Amino acid sequence: MSPFNLQACARPNILALQPYRCARDDYKDDGTNILLDANENAYGPSISPDVASTGVDVDFLGLHRYPDPHQAALKQQLCALRNTHAHTPKTLTPENLFVGVGSDEAIDALLRCFCVPGRDRILTCPPTYGMYAVSAQVNDVAIVKVPLLPAPTFALDVPAILDALTNEENIKLVYLCSPGNPTGSLLAKDQVHQILNHPTWNGVVVLDEAYIDFAFEDASLAEWVTEFPNLVVMQTLSKAFGMAGIRLGAAFTSPPIAALLNSLKAPYNISSPTSALASYAVSDKGLPVMRDNRAKILSQRDRILAELPKIPGVGRLRGGTESNFLLFEMLDAGGAPDNTTALAVYEKLAETKGVVVRFRGKEHGCLGCLRITIGTEPEVTRFLQELRTTLNEVRGS
């Protein structure tokens, strides 16, 4: 008999890991469901219909070669996209960039880069994106939590954050999400500035801007990394650009930090097709498609904001309106926000109506809340109809 014992062999923190879950782990998609759970872009990728014949330059005969390990041309395009000079006269260059397999690679790479397992810690501000905690546990890094201020603002508690950075030991990274997930709220620039200017803390502020293109123009602080040597701004093509399937993320930061991240990554982490598709999406051909789809999403977001509160059993909007999703309360028969009701609505929508949203009621400050991704016009129509029916069924009205 083999002496192998997995429980004794694997790291204890990995054995205890609660993996990041999505709603689709719970429900099988038969191809007819309305998927309003994962904040994808329902209007599709930033690629025109003729892309197969005239758009993306993919050398399929060259796939026997490893891809460019440095992605300099793509990085230059991403820099051009964010060099707005709305926040600084300085200019981003490819030396300011790390590109990875979605933002998740950067989240993990930063932990591996700065945090000694079992000693160092990170600071997060719940409610926030779940992968910060998952990656921290994988790397045996503890978390100091400073919750956001109560809804609906979900603003940073700056005094508490500054106090933690002053008095808590071994905090190396602060993960901030702006616009927040699941809050949809944009963090105030001056509050981020206060954290960056902490007088004694020697650590890195990581600003996750996955949804930044749904906020106001020039909201991104990516070019600010030219001003602050300890700032990392993460972005992705998965949301506004509708390119979730290619898994392309970027981390803007100072050249020394970018060099570290590029040193520890796998040598060919971005495939040639991914690079070509990403390049097209941020080109003069892809950007108009993104902007047209974004306009449709914002129109449907306004529609949901107007129509959802009219449905009996729908409570308050509990977050911001700077993203492609909204966070709303579900009310019990007595008119109070309620997790039992929200969970029942979530399950019934998915199991019997074919509409998948996201239950967020267990997140800090999100009692009774569902997070609803903005879909296409027909998807939103169906969602509103099914939600009205489901709330009537669940609440017994």
Side-chain angles (χ1 to χ4, degrees), residues 141-152:
V141 173
I143 303 175
V144 175
K145 296 180 180 179
V146 179
L148 297 173
L149 296 177

Side-chain angles (χ1 to χ4, degrees), residues 1-2 58 75 100 112 117 201 212 216-217 223 228 262 275 297 324 344 346 348 366:
M1 179 181 295
S2 170
V58 179
K75 289 177 180 178
R112 289 185 287 121
W201 176 62
I212 198 66
F216 60 84
E217 187 175 359
E223 63 184 6
F228 297 95
N262 284 312
S275 182
I297 289 170
N324 70 328
Y346 159 69
K348 200 171 188 69
C366 299

Side-chain angles (χ1 to χ4, degrees), residues 43 214 291-307 323-324 326 374-377 380 384:
Y43 285 92
F214 297 108
R291 290 165 180 154
D292 182 61
N293 287 340
R294 179 179 60 186
K296 295 174 184 176
I297 289 170
L298 299 186
S299 175
Q300 292 306 306
R301 185 176 71 188
D302 291 342
R303 178 188 172 196
I304 290 180
L305 285 168
E307 296 188 24
S323 193
N324 70 328
L326 296 167
I374 311 303
T376 63
E377 183 175 1
V380 170
L384 292 169

Side-chain angles (χ1 to χ4, degrees), residues 49 51 65 140 152 180 253 304 307 313 316 328 331 340 355 376 384:
V51 65
R65 300 297 186 190
D140 197 15
T253 188
I304 290 180
E307 296 188 24
R316 298 167 294 178
F328 268 93
L331 308 179
T340 301
V355 177
T376 63
L384 292 169

Side-chain angles (χ1 to χ4, degrees), residues 10-343:
R11 290 163 62 190
N13 58 300
I14 301 298
L15 292 170
L17 181 65
Q18 295 295 318
Y20 181 83
R21 290 183 60 82
C22 65
R24 290 169 222 182
D25 291 328
D26 300 324
Y27 303 104
K28 183 178 180 180
D29 181 18
D30 62 3
T32 64
N33 290 346
I34 301 297
L35 301 177
L36 306 179
D37 61 307
N39 302 341
E40 297 151 324
N41 186 330
Y43 285 92
S46 302
I47 294 176
S48 58
D50 62 353
V51 65
S53 59
T54 64
V56 180
D57 182 19
V58 179
D59 178 13
F60 291 105
L61 294 179
L63 292 181
H64 64 300
R65 300 297 186 190
Y66 284 112
D68 178 2
H70 305 296
Q71 303 292 334
L74 175 59
K75 289 177 180 178
Q76 184 59 59
Q77 286 181 285
L78 293 169
C79 288
L81 183 67
R82 300 307 179 191
N83 273 324
T84 64
H85 299 303
H87 306 285
T88 175
K90 296 181 180 179
T91 299
L92 292 163
T93 71
E95 286 69 37
N96 291 110
L97 262 177
F98 165 81
V99 291
V101 182
S103 297
D104 295 328
E105 183 175 359
I107 291 169
D108 182 72
L110 287 161
L111 279 157
R112 289 185 287 121
C113 187
F114 289 101
C115 295
V116 175
R119 186 193 74 184
D120 292 331
R121 300 187 287 174
I122 67 171
L123 186 147
T124 65
C125 299
T128 194
Y129 181 42
M131 278 305 296
Y132 309 145
V134 171
S135 291
Q137 187 168 353
V138 167
N139 288 282
D140 197 15
V141 173
I143 303 175
V144 175
K145 296 180 180 179
V146 179
L148 297 173
L149 296 177
T153 62
F154 283 119
L156 293 172
D157 187 345
V158 175
I161 293 173
L162 296 178
D163 180 72
L165 297 181
T166 299
N167 296 304
E168 298 281 351
E169 294 183 350
N170 300 324
I171 296 177
K172 290 294 188 65
L173 301 169
V174 174
Y175 281 97
L176 306 176
C177 198
S178 181
N181 177 11
T183 68
S185 298
L186 194 71
L187 299 180
K189 177 180 175 180
D190 68 301
Q191 293 189 332
V192 177
H193 189 264
Q194 290 180 63
I195 298 168
L196 286 165
N197 277 337
H198 190 289
T200 60
W201 176 62
N202 182 32
V204 176
V205 175
V206 185
L207 189 62
D208 189 344
E209 290 189 343
Y211 301 95
I212 198 66
D213 289 298
F214 297 108
F216 60 84
E217 187 175 359
D218 296 338
S220 172
L221 297 179
E223 63 184 6
W224 237 13
V225 305
T226 62
E227 298 284 353
F228 297 95
N230 63 329
L231 175 63
V232 178
V233 177
M234 300 188 302
Q235 296 184 352
T236 177
L237 296 191
S238 296
K239 309 302 180 183
F241 286 88
M243 304 292 285
I246 70 170
R247 307 303 299 125
L248 194 287
F252 296 86
T253 188
S254 61
I257 293 179
L260 287 177
L261 296 176
N262 284 312
S263 294
L264 63 82
K265 76 174 181 67
Y268 310 107
N269 61 330
I270 303 301
S271 73
S272 297
T274 289
S275 182
L277 289 164
S279 178
Y280 182 95
V282 298
S283 72
D284 291 340
K285 294 180 180 179
L287 284 170
V289 181
M290 182 275 280
R291 290 165 180 154
D292 182 61
N293 287 340
R294 179 179 60 186
K296 295 174 184 176
I297 289 170
L298 299 186
S299 175
Q300 292 306 306
R301 185 176 71 188
D302 291 342
R303 178 188 172 196
I304 290 180
L305 285 168
E307 296 188 24
L308 203 60
K310 299 175 184 177
I311 297 176
V314 173
R316 298 167 294 178
L317 172 71
R318 299 310 285 154
T321 58
E322 301 291 339
S323 193
N324 70 328
F325 59 86
L326 296 167
L327 188 71
F328 268 93
E329 292 174 333
M330 300 294 115
L331 308 179
D332 62 18
D338 176 58
N339 272 356
T340 301
T341 301
L343 184 59

